[in-house]
């Protein structure tokens, strides 16, 4: 994995998460009481042995920059780093990033200096746990120019995703961004029998893009020479399918795009449920965050049911259920449900 470099896209306005993004970028939004969204892809990278990590930022980036600088520090015997690549003026351009692919194009001169063979491109607003080593191994086995993380979805969710038509060998043949026509959607089903061991069922016969990409460096540089390629989903991926070897990597674990208020709300509350779909209690694949060295919680005369309580809280005479209580919270005579 020494020849793999990760680029996490964190520069969008995050309008779907407003007002949580009023004063901070999407990846800096708190999660699960003590984490930030950016901790998910960064931790996945570290646990997968991908230790050269860039985070591209643009809007409301101060909180995100501070969190990364305070949290992710590798020792002097490691080549690893988590660095910020902020939008900047250069002799070539003075504009803001126009999209995800444009952001990578404009920062490519910094990325190429590390001799990477593959570039792993990730989103900063998703909740999941993935071993990227398996993804990279699959990419190399297929001798692909591009590999896209895909997840099976049911028909009613198809209009919310970029849907990929995938052959039985994993090769991607078509990409359609949020298709709406019901008759056309029927033609995008994959062979359920061929992919049943990867979580594809009659109820979930469509492959949706997860926004997780592996590019061979030379292929990505070639594609980004065309400055009309602004977004990966809208421009780069459909064009790549026509001109390069592109494969889908089916993922069977929990994955949730939490880029909207509704998805963010439900994903957080699920963490406090009796049987959460995602848990931070994985000793072999931990999620890292800023160590705050806060005191233990003080709780007196309280009733809790399905609650997550972060550090440094003081809670007296309160009844709380189905809730996430964040760091340094103070509750007195409160009822939260």
């Amino acid at each position: 994995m020494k020849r793999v470099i990760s680029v996490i896209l964190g520069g969008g306005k995050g309008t779907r998460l407003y007002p949580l993004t009023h004063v901070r970028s999407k990846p800096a939004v708190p999660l699960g009481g003590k984490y930030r969204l950016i901790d998910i892809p960064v931790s996945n990278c570290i646990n997968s042995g991908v230790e050269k990590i860039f985070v591209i930022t643009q809007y409301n980036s101060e909180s995100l920059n501070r969190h990364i600088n305070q949290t992710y520090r590798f020792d002097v015997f490691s080549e690893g780093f988590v660095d910020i690549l902020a939008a900047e003026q250069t002799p070539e351009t003075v504009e803001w990033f126009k999209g995800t692919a444009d952001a990578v194009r404009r920062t490519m001169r910094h990325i190429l200096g590390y001799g990477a063979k593959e570039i792993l491109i990730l989103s900063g607003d998703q909740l999941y746990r993935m071993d990227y080593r398996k993804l990279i191994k699959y990419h190399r086995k297929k001798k692909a120019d591009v590999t896209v993380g895909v997840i099976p979805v049911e028909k009613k969710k198809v209009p919310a995703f970029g849907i990929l038509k995938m052959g039985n060998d994993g090769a991607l043949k078509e990409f359609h961004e949020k298709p709406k026509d019901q008759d056309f959607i029927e033609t995008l089903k994959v062979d359920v029998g061929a992919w049943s061991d990867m979580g594809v069922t009659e109820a979930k016969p469509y492959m949706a893009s997860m926004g997780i990409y592996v590019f061979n460096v030379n292929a990505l540089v070639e594609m980004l020479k065309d400055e009309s390629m602004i977004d990966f989903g809208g421009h780069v991926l459909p064009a790549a399918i026509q001109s390069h070897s592109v494969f889908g990597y089916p993922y069977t674990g929990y994955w949730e795009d939490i880029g909207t208020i509704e998805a963010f709300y439900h994903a957080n509350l699920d963490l406090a449920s009796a049987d959460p779909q995602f848990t931070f209690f994985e000793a072999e694949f931990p999620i890292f965050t800023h160590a705050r060295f806060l005191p233990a919680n003080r709780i007196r005369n309280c009733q809790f049911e399905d609650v997550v309580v972060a550090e440094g809280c003081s809670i007296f005479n309160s009844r709380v259920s189905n809730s996430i209580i964040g760091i340094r919270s103070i509750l007195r005579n409160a009822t939260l449900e």
Side-chain angles (χ1 to χ4, degrees):
M1 302 301 283
K2 291 183 179 295
R3 298 295 301 277
V4 179
I5 198 163
S6 176
V7 177
I8 301 173
L9 302 171
K13 290 182 178 180
T15 53
R16 296 184 303 159
L17 266 181
Y18 189 87
L20 299 179
T21 52
H22 178 59
V23 295
R24 54 166 58 97
S25 61
K26 269 194 304 185
V29 169
L31 173 72
K34 60 176 289 183
Y35 301 90
R36 304 289 187 101
L37 293 181
I38 191 65
D39 293 328
I40 302 301
V42 172
S43 297
N44 282 337
C45 285
I46 294 171
N47 290 321
S48 301
V50 179
E51 296 187 341
K52 298 182 179 70
I53 305 165
F54 284 112
V55 181
I56 297 181
T57 68
Q58 181 165 270
Y59 294 97
N60 286 337
S61 59
E62 188 276 335
S63 176
L64 176 61
N65 296 351
R66 184 175 66 250
H67 176 73
I68 289 174
N69 289 333
Q70 292 177 341
T71 305
Y72 299 103
R73 300 175 182 176
F74 292 81
D75 63 58
V76 295
F77 299 103
S78 170
E79 297 179 351
F81 60 82
V82 183
D83 279 354
I84 299 291
L85 291 178
E88 61 182 351
Q89 292 184 344
T90 68
E92 290 77 27
T93 181
V94 297
E95 298 177 322
W96 289 103
F97 298 147
K98 299 175 182 178
T100 54
D102 186 57
V104 174
R105 177 191 299 109
R106 300 259 302 277
T107 54
M108 188 64 77
R109 60 195 183 100
H110 302 294
I111 298 168
L112 293 179
Y114 291 88
K117 180 181 178 182
E118 292 109 354
I119 294 179
L120 173 65
I121 296 178
L122 307 170
S123 173
D125 60 354
Q126 299 172 350
L127 183 60
Y128 65 106
R129 184 179 273 109
M130 178 188 285
D131 187 342
Y132 298 133
R133 288 170 293 198
K134 297 179 181 179
L135 170 61
I136 299 298
K137 182 179 179 180
Y138 179 91
H139 173 81
R140 292 173 178 173
K141 180 180 178 180
K142 293 293 186 179
K143 298 181 180 180
D145 295 312
V146 187
T147 297
V148 182
V150 296
I151 191 164
V153 296
E154 54 193 339
K155 187 174 182 179
K156 68 179 183 179
K157 291 187 176 181
V158 166
F161 290 97
I163 301 299
L164 299 146
K165 190 166 186 179
M166 191 167 76
N168 291 351
D169 61 349
L172 299 183
K173 302 176 180 180
E174 299 176 24
F175 175 86
H176 301 278
E177 183 69 23
K178 299 179 179 178
K180 301 292 192 297
D181 184 86
Q182 295 300 305
D183 291 334
F184 178 69
I185 288 175
E186 284 292 322
T187 68
L188 300 178
K189 288 182 179 179
V190 298
D191 185 336
V192 174
W195 295 101
S196 59
D197 59 337
M198 297 302 293
V200 179
T201 65
E202 291 292 346
K204 294 183 177 181
Y206 302 95
M207 287 299 193
S209 171
M210 301 170 68
I212 297 172
Y213 313 108
V214 180
F215 284 87
N216 288 345
V217 169
N218 292 339
L220 181 59
V221 170
E222 178 185 345
M223 295 176 204
L224 294 183
K225 286 180 180 178
D226 182 352
E227 295 193 0
S228 67
M229 299 291 169
I230 303 301
D231 286 297
F232 282 107
H235 303 110
V236 174
L237 186 55
I241 289 174
Q242 303 302 317
S243 59
H244 291 76
S245 174
V246 185
F247 281 80
Y249 172 75
Y251 178 66
T252 58
Y254 172 81
W255 175 88
E256 185 68 44
D257 180 347
I258 48 179
T260 67
I261 289 290
E262 181 180 6
F264 176 83
Y265 174 80
H266 289 296
N268 266 275
L269 290 190
D270 183 67
L271 297 172
S273 67
D275 186 22
Q277 298 180 77
F278 181 91
T279 176
F280 289 99
F281 293 88
E282 291 284 349
E284 296 182 358
F285 213 95
I287 304 300
F288 305 104
T289 193
H290 176 48
R292 296 178 175 86
F293 304 106
L294 294 171
N297 296 313
R298 298 173 66 234
I299 300 174
R300 182 175 183 273
N301 192 29
C302 294
Q303 180 180 343
F304 289 159
E305 182 179 0
D306 294 337
V307 179
V308 171
V309 183
E311 311 101 306
C313 295
S314 180
I315 309 173
F316 294 167
N317 305 315
S318 297
R319 182 176 180 275
V320 185
S321 64
N322 194 33
S323 300
I324 305 286
I325 301 177
I327 59 170
R328 304 187 188 95
S329 296
I330 299 175
L331 297 181
R332 297 286 189 273
N333 304 309
T335 299
L336 300 178
E337 297 178 335

